[in-house]
């Protein structure tokens, strides 16, 4: 990229952010499969919208979310700050999808193949959106799992390279093996907020941080 | 005259070590194509100089579009961590330049790599011959 082209792009990005202050921010919920992204999205929507419809079905089977789903104009108010966000719940990002893994969940081959095909399309779409279509990221990790994976490192690096504001949520603190410290150690450059989206633990702080970071 | 074996004639695993120089003049998509062509042939690809975050994002996206049941399950990938002084200058970030690529990266076919483990100074791959 040439110097002038880069400068022009930087200025237009800055101007766009100035002129879009009132628009809802598109906040992508990203993370590995089974981190609890949809459970979190559903809780946020139920807590802050009038009808409280679920964003999507929750399941212990990987890749339950195979298409990004968006809930628009979710107004969150905390500590005198408010923010209007469009929540985009994305499929769990991975570098591999093997349909045979779904056969262990009492699925027929045809259903497993269809699920894997939909999952790969969803991940590709989520990666494209990350480059083109989100204003901020909530990165959800299962605090009972090892956060030092290449996919997590790559995705956080991609988000940082886009200069997107990012909050890391250490989900599933209700589990015995949960370690928020392990996640803080993995990504010390970002604020980590502990929570249980399933149990609703620490959601006050979660909403406070969302309003603070994306407002 | 000694018989020259091609990868198809052997039950071994081919390792392609690609120099930074070879990657230098390629576009992002050319790099990704070179990596995925190698991995889809069953090779382990080692990049002397890793990919930028944007290229990593596109590698995941293209990999997903090529996954096919019973043919290609995707990739395993590991890189050495980026050191603190590799993060790119403030001016570079202001101008929208990608940060410096990570150091050495290992990429292989997911169905052949049993484990791919990394610590600060070592990447260890256990590869099956199928």
């Amino acid at each position: 990229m040439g110097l002038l082209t880069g400068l022009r792009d930087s200025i237009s990005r800055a101007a766009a952010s100035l002129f879009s202050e009132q628009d809802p921010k598109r906040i992508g919920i990203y993370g590995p499969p089974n981190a609890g992204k949809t459970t979190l999205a559903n809780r946020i929507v139920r807590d802050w919208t009038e009808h409280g419809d679920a964003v999507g079905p929750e399941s212990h089977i990987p890749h339950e979310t195979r298409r990004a789903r968006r809930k628009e104009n979710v107004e969150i108010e905390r500590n005198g700050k408010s923010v209007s966000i469009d929540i985009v719940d994305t499929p769990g990002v991975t570098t591999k999808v093997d349909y045979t893994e779904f056969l262990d969940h009492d699925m027929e081959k045809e259903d497993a193949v269809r699920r894997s095909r939909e999952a790969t399309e969803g991940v590709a779409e989520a990666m494209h959106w990350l480059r083109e279509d989100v204003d901020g990221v909530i990165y959800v990790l299962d605090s009972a799992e090892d956060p030092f994976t290449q996919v997590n490192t790559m995705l956080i690096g991609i988000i940082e390279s886009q200069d997107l504001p990012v909050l890391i949520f250490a989900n599933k603190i209700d589990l015995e093996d949960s370690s928020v410290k392990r996640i803080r150690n993995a990504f010390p450059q970002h604020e980590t907020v502990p929570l249980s989206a399933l149990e609703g633990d620490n959601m006050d702080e979660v909403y406070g941080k969302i309003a603070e970071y994306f407002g | 005259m000694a018989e020259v074996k091609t990868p198809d004639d052997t039950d071994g695993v081919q390792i392609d070590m690609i120099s930074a120089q070879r990657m230098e003049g390629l576009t992002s998509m050319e790099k990704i194509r070179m990596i995925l062509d190698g991995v889809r042939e069953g090779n382990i690809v080692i990049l002397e100089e890793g990919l930028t975050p944007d290229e990593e994002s596109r590698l995941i996206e293209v990999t997903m579009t090529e996954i096919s049941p019973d043919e290609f399950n995707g990739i395993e990938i590991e890189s050495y961590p980026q050191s603190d002084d590799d993060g790119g200058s403030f001016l570079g970030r202001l101008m929208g330049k990608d940060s410096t690529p990570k150091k050495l990266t290992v990429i292989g076919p997911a169905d052949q790599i049993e484990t791919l483990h990394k610590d600060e100074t070592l990447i260890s791959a256990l590869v099956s011959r199928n």
Side-chain angles (χ1 to χ4, degrees):
Chain A
M1 182 186 291
L3 189 69
L4 285 175
T5 311
L7 184 60
R8 188 181 61 225
D9 286 353
S10 295
I11 291 169
S12 63
R13 274 202 302 275
S17 67
L18 282 175
F19 292 130
S20 62
E21 280 293 301
Q22 301 305 316
D23 294 338
K25 306 283 183 3
R26 284 156 301 182
I27 306 301
I29 300 181
Y30 281 83
N34 272 357
K37 297 179 293 300
T38 302
T39 306
L40 174 67
N42 285 343
R43 181 167 287 278
I44 294 172
V45 169
R46 286 182 178 128
D47 283 352
W48 294 99
T49 62
E50 201 172 322
H51 301 297
D53 299 332
V55 174
E58 300 160 22
S59 165
H60 67 285
I61 306 173
H63 299 292
E64 184 65 38
T65 302
R66 300 184 293 282
R67 276 280 185 253
R69 298 189 185 93
R70 183 180 297 205
K71 188 76 176 179
E72 296 184 339
N73 293 314
V74 179
E75 297 274 346
I76 295 176
E77 288 183 33
R78 266 295 184 276
N79 307 327
K81 285 202 163 199
S82 70
V83 61
S84 175
I85 59 175
D86 294 346
I87 291 176
V88 184
D89 180 30
T90 68
V93 175
T94 180
T95 58
K96 57 187 176 186
V97 177
D98 183 353
Y99 80 90
T100 60
E101 289 177 22
F102 302 130
L103 299 177
D104 298 336
H105 296 274
D106 293 332
M107 224 175 269
E108 297 295 326
K109 182 178 178 184
E110 191 181 331
D111 292 336
V113 167
R114 187 176 63 243
R115 193 180 186 91
S116 69
R117 188 172 296 122
E118 289 171 354
T120 57
E121 288 170 4
V123 174
E125 184 181 56
M127 294 312 298
H128 186 79
W129 284 21
L130 185 56
R131 291 197 306 272
E132 308 284 341
D133 201 37
V134 294
D135 300 312
V137 173
I138 290 171
Y139 198 81
V140 182
L141 288 163
D142 180 341
S143 60
E145 296 287 331
D146 179 11
F148 290 98
T149 68
Q150 181 71 13
V151 169
N152 288 336
T153 307
M154 278 166 59
L155 273 178
I156 295 290
I158 292 164
I159 293 161
E160 287 171 348
S161 75
Q162 304 275 72
D163 286 332
L164 292 169
V166 56
L167 267 175
I168 294 181
F169 284 176
N171 193 22
K172 306 192 185 184
I173 57 170
D174 53 301
L175 298 182
E176 199 176 324
D177 295 337
S178 166
S179 171
V180 177
K181 187 180 173 189
R182 194 166 45 194
I183 293 180
R184 287 203 172 106
N185 288 343
F187 303 106
Q189 71 274 38
H190 298 291
E191 184 145 15
T192 296
V193 185
L195 76 149
S196 168
L198 186 67
E199 301 293 335
D201 297 339
N202 205 35
M203 294 307 292
D204 276 345
E205 187 184 358
V206 165
Y207 294 134
K209 290 296 179 189
I210 289 175
E212 181 186 334
Y213 267 67
F214 305 125
Chain B
M1 188 173 152
E3 181 186 356
V4 178
K5 287 190 172 182
T6 65
D8 290 342
D9 296 332
T10 72
D11 60 353
V13 176
Q14 180 174 322
I15 298 174
D16 294 337
M17 291 187 244
I18 302 177
S19 68
Q21 188 185 12
R22 178 153 184 177
M23 298 285 265
E24 200 175 46
L26 302 181
T27 66
S28 293
M29 286 311 295
E30 286 170 336
K31 291 180 191 176
I32 289 164
R33 197 64 269 153
M34 179 191 285
I35 293 165
L36 283 180
D37 284 349
V39 170
R40 293 198 63 173
E41 286 173 16
N43 305 340
I44 307 297
V45 176
I46 299 177
L47 306 178
E48 181 188 18
E49 190 174 86
L51 301 171
T52 65
D54 186 70
E55 288 165 347
E56 287 176 340
S57 162
R58 289 172 198 275
L59 175 65
I60 297 173
E61 188 176 340
V62 177
T63 299
M64 287 297 122
T65 65
E66 300 197 1
I67 286 177
S68 170
D70 299 322
E71 284 181 24
F72 178 56
N73 294 339
I75 59 172
E76 294 279 3
I77 179 169
E78 282 291 0
S79 298
Y80 287 129
Q82 203 166 2
S83 63
D84 290 340
D85 55 359
D86 282 348
S89 66
F90 171 76
L91 190 60
R93 289 172 70 83
L94 183 70
M95 305 309 290
K97 283 173 67 176
D98 289 324
S99 56
T100 308
K102 293 181 183 67
K103 295 170 187 169
L104 187 140
T105 298
V106 179
I107 306 154
D111 63 347
Q112 267 180 268
I113 293 194
E114 304 275 331
T115 60
L116 192 50
H117 172 76
K118 175 188 71 175
D119 65 23
E120 290 293 314
T121 54
L122 173 78
I123 296 174
S124 178
L126 176 61
V127 184
S128 71
R129 294 189 177 90
N130 276 346

